Amino acid sequence: MKEIRGAEVAKALKAQMTEDIAALGGYIPQLVIVRVGERPDDISYEKGAAKRALAMGLRCTSFVFDAEISHEEFVMEFQKINKDPEVDGILMLRPLPKQINEKEIERLIDPGKDIDCIGPMNLARVFAGETDAYAPCTAEAVMEMLKYEGIDLKGKRVTIVGRSLVVGKPLAMLMLGQHATVTICHTRTADFQGTCHNAEILVAAAGKAKMIKKEHVADGAIVIDVGINLDEEGNLCGDVDYEEVKKTAGIVTPVPGGVGSVTTLVLLKHLIQAAKQKRR
Amino acid sequence: MKEIRGAEVAKALKAQMTEDIAALGGYIPQLVIVRVGERPDDISYEKGAAKRALAMGLRCTSFVFDAEISHEEFVMEFQKINKDPEVDGILMLRPLPKQINEKEIERLIDPGKDIDCIGPMNLARVFAGETDAYAPCTAEAVMEMLKYEGIDLKGKRVTIVGRSLVVGKPLAMLMLGQHATVTICHTRTADFQGTCHNAEILVAAAGKAKMIKKEHVADGAIVIDVGINLDEEGNLCGDVDYEEVKKTAGIVTPVPGGVGSVTTLVLLKHLIQAAKQKRR
């Protein structure tokens, strides 16, 4: 069994991105992170993204709003950021508090700054298979893992577990764009085990700790674990039962240290693209 | 073998729609058909839609432009229609001539009038699984056929042949919304026969005459034929080799007389919805 480690994929991506930054002729792209409230998950993701952005020599600014901010006031503040010509890309941490109409904010975001694919324009472009759209970062991180490993998706049987708009569905579109045969399954799937076992490439994006066992995985299959969960002992784990699956799978991505380590880099890749686009 | 005939589905839809029109309190929704040039396919589709609209007591107006119209002029004319408060829904026949930037027109269309789902706002909503979005009419017509027949999609293995943005992809989203397990396959699929044969419900939307033979269809499977092609003798036929498949399939939809007979009714259903939405 082979592992695809996120750190290696990240290293390759960084090398390319460093070149892309240099090609901007001295301009330093700015990422803005918008956070409402003090949810620990948000803060942790924000810290990670900021650290990586700064380490690459990019600008990163956080705007933090009170959890009680009204919808109207948030719209006003969001639009200031959205329209600021110095802002190249926006990462808005979700979900927003209930008093804010999140759908409205998603429709407001400038498609050129929507590097995390929350707005309808980018979603539609991903749906349409436009390869220069900013796809949701986790979905694209999966593609980067496979690309790094040199895996040709053409004609391959891919099963994606999970049908969310941040991973399962957009990933299905990216995979179709590479000519894979894509099956999307979920909690309601009748023959779940068989559907997973049929896959040459199995992507677990269901958000349920260790749900993929060895009986779900064909001998030699490639298993990409998108899940980030806590197990019974409170340790970080994926949707894949790694210890079980590693015995039969051909390739597995670990959690932690897998797809998650590539996700924020994809975000920064989009940021650099957005800056390049703007300056054209 | 049983057939689902489009005419029966259409009849049931019409009954519901007649009630919906009555509920508009005397307001008569207006469909506008936009055609550029004199392509026979376009004219035939336009005639069919207009005839059906008028038969249901709806208003229908065609705007026909010269095939040589410039992009700028077409945008101006299109916006007049798009912004006219008396227009409830727009059917724009595509593809447009090459001098017109079709993508730009798609982005211009008022999402509230985009009853054929050409614009990014509706596409994004279909992608997101919002059930009140105007889905592409052919994809939704397939769902109406299955609904009429009382087929519960939950957990069912569905294979869709074809990955277009007008049928295959949106249909996959609609099917996922009904909790089906969905596989999308296409010309590059390695085990095409097996992928089709595995399906409890097989939807052929590839646009290739009689490509689905009996070896592609499991005993008792439901086969929905979206194709509209001409066979060697110049007769209308579907993507399914009907004479072969009918021996083993459980249910088949014929061509002509199947999905195609429901498509324009779905368009008119959307038109009535759009008028209702506008008057709220």
Side-chain angles (χ1 to χ4, degrees):
Chain A
M1 199 271 310
K2 188 176 174 178
E3 262 190 348
I4 315 178
R5 297 206 60 90
E8 289 170 38
V9 181
K11 196 175 157 192
L13 272 174
K14 268 187 210 163
Q16 180 57 53
M17 285 156 66
T18 302
E19 283 181 34
D20 293 343
I21 295 171
L24 292 174
Y27 180 79
I28 309 292
Q30 179 178 209
L31 169 68
V32 163
I33 303 176
V34 176
R35 170 160 59 86
V36 183
E38 304 290 332
R39 248 196 338 252
D41 281 6
D42 285 354
I43 295 172
S44 145
Y45 190 60
E46 179 189 345
K47 271 191 187 161
K51 193 174 155 190
R52 282 211 140 160
L54 298 173
M56 293 207 65
L58 299 161
R59 287 183 289 166
C60 180
T61 314
S62 282
F63 285 81
V64 180
F65 301 99
D66 191 280
E68 308 290 320
I69 190 171
S70 74
H71 173 73
E72 292 68 26
E73 203 181 337
F74 183 71
V75 167
M76 216 172 58
E77 295 295 338
F78 183 80
Q79 286 290 53
K80 276 188 218 161
I81 297 162
N82 199 30
K83 291 180 175 170
D84 181 347
E86 281 293 306
V87 175
D88 296 289
I90 298 171
L91 170 65
M92 186 179 77
L93 301 171
R94 296 183 295 173
L96 295 170
K98 288 201 175 90
Q99 76 276 13
I100 300 176
N101 181 345
E102 194 167 304
K103 284 244 160 283
E104 189 182 327
I105 309 297
E106 289 166 7
R107 282 192 296 262
L108 285 178
I109 195 168
D110 178 344
K113 299 181 181 184
D114 181 20
I115 58 175
D116 197 29
C117 196
I118 67 169
M121 298 301 291
N122 271 311
L123 278 171
R125 296 183 68 206
V126 170
F127 195 28
E130 295 179 26
T131 50
D132 59 346
Y134 302 125
C137 295
T138 304
E140 195 170 320
V142 172
M143 300 304 281
E144 291 289 354
M145 303 286 278
L146 294 166
K147 187 176 158 194
Y148 176 81
E149 199 55 37
I151 294 159
D152 183 7
L153 293 167
K154 197 181 294 167
K156 288 273 182 7
R157 291 189 310 278
V158 174
T159 294
I160 298 171
V161 183
R163 51 180 159 168
S164 78
L165 199 55
V166 288
V167 189
K169 287 176 175 183
L171 182 56
M173 296 305 124
L174 298 178
M175 293 273 193
L176 280 176
Q178 304 271 320
H179 312 302
T181 302
V182 179
T183 299
I184 307 176
C185 68
H186 42 77
T187 46
R188 311 291 186 92
T189 293
D191 178 18
F192 183 75
Q193 187 190 318
T195 306
C196 291
H197 197 272
N198 182 50
E200 294 168 279
I201 301 172
L202 177 64
V203 182
K208 199 173 159 198
K210 298 183 185 177
M211 70 180 289
I212 300 296
K213 306 284 183 187
K214 68 173 184 299
E215 63 266 27
H216 296 100
V217 178
D219 278 2
I222 299 167
V223 182
I224 310 286
D225 191 350
V226 177
I228 298 178
N229 317 287
L230 293 177
D231 66 12
E232 315 84 61
E233 286 100 45
N235 296 317
L236 216 55
C237 73
D239 289 358
V240 176
D241 191 329
Y242 188 88
E243 290 306 316
E244 268 204 12
V245 166
K246 73 176 185 187
K247 292 168 200 159
T248 49
I251 295 178
V252 186
T253 66
V255 176
V259 176
S261 336
V262 179
T263 299
T264 49
L265 268 180
V266 169
L267 182 81
L268 299 179
K269 188 181 107 177
H270 290 171
L271 177 74
I272 298 163
Q273 275 174 26
K276 190 174 162 188
Q277 238 7 78
K278 193 180 73 177
R279 289 164 55 81
R280 263 189 193 151
Chain B
M1 198 273 308
K2 189 177 173 178
E3 260 190 350
I4 315 179
R5 297 205 59 88
E8 290 170 38
V9 182
K11 197 175 156 189
L13 272 174
K14 267 185 210 165
Q16 180 57 53
M17 285 157 66
T18 302
E19 283 181 34
D20 293 343
I21 294 171
L24 292 174
Y27 181 79
I28 310 292
Q30 179 178 209
L31 170 68
V32 163
I33 303 175
V34 176
R35 169 160 60 84
V36 182
E38 305 290 332
R39 249 197 336 253
D41 282 5
D42 285 353
I43 295 173
S44 146
Y45 191 60
E46 180 189 344
K47 272 191 185 162
K51 194 175 154 189
R52 283 210 140 159
L54 298 173
M56 293 207 66
L58 299 161
R59 287 184 289 166
C60 180
T61 314
S62 282
F63 284 81
V64 179
F65 300 99
D66 191 279
E68 308 290 320
I69 190 171
S70 74
H71 173 74
E72 291 70 26
E73 203 181 336
F74 183 70
V75 166
M76 214 171 62
E77 296 294 338
F78 183 81
Q79 286 291 52
K80 276 188 219 162
I81 298 161
N82 198 31
K83 292 182 175 168
D84 181 346
E86 281 293 306
V87 175
D88 296 289
I90 298 171
L91 169 65
M92 185 178 78
L93 301 171
R94 296 184 295 173
L96 296 170
K98 287 201 176 90
Q99 77 276 12
I100 301 176
N101 181 345
E102 195 167 303
K103 285 246 161 281
E104 188 182 326
I105 309 298
E106 289 165 8
R107 282 191 296 262
L108 285 177
I109 194 167
D110 179 343
K113 298 180 180 184
D114 181 20
I115 58 175
D116 196 29
C117 196
I118 68 169
M121 297 301 291
N122 271 309
L123 278 171
R125 295 183 69 206
V126 170
F127 196 26
E130 295 180 26
T131 52
D132 61 344
Y134 302 125
C137 296
T138 304
E140 195 171 320
V142 171
M143 300 305 281
E144 292 288 354
M145 304 286 279
L146 295 167
K147 186 177 158 194
Y148 176 80
E149 201 53 38
I151 294 158
D152 182 7
L153 292 167
K154 198 181 294 169
K156 289 271 181 14
R157 291 189 309 278
V158 174
T159 295
I160 298 170
V161 183
R163 51 178 159 168
S164 77
L165 198 56
V166 288
V167 188
K169 286 176 176 182
L171 182 56
M173 296 305 123
L174 298 177
M175 293 272 191
L176 280 176
Q178 304 270 321
H179 312 301
T181 302
V182 179
T183 299
I184 307 175
C185 68
H186 42 77
T187 46
R188 311 292 185 90
T189 293
D191 179 18
F192 182 75
Q193 187 191 317
T195 306
C196 291
H197 198 273
N198 182 50
E200 294 168 278
I201 301 171
L202 177 64
V203 182
K208 199 172 159 199
K210 298 183 184 177
M211 70 179 292
I212 301 296
K213 307 286 184 187
K214 66 173 186 301
E215 64 265 27
H216 296 101
V217 178
D219 278 2
I222 298 166
V223 182
I224 310 286
D225 191 351
V226 177
I228 298 179
N229 317 287
L230 294 176
D231 67 12
E232 315 84 62
E233 285 101 43
N235 297 317
L236 216 55
C237 73
D239 288 357
V240 176
D241 191 329
Y242 188 89
E243 289 307 313
E244 266 204 14
V245 167
K246 73 175 184 187
K247 292 168 200 158
T248 48
I251 295 178
V252 186
T253 68
V255 175
V259 177
S261 336
V262 180
T263 300
T264 48
L265 269 180
V266 169
L267 183 81
L268 299 180
K269 189 181 106 179
H270 290 172
L271 177 73
I272 298 163
Q273 276 174 26
K276 190 174 161 188
Q277 236 9 74
K278 192 181 73 177
R279 288 162 57 79
R280 263 189 194 151

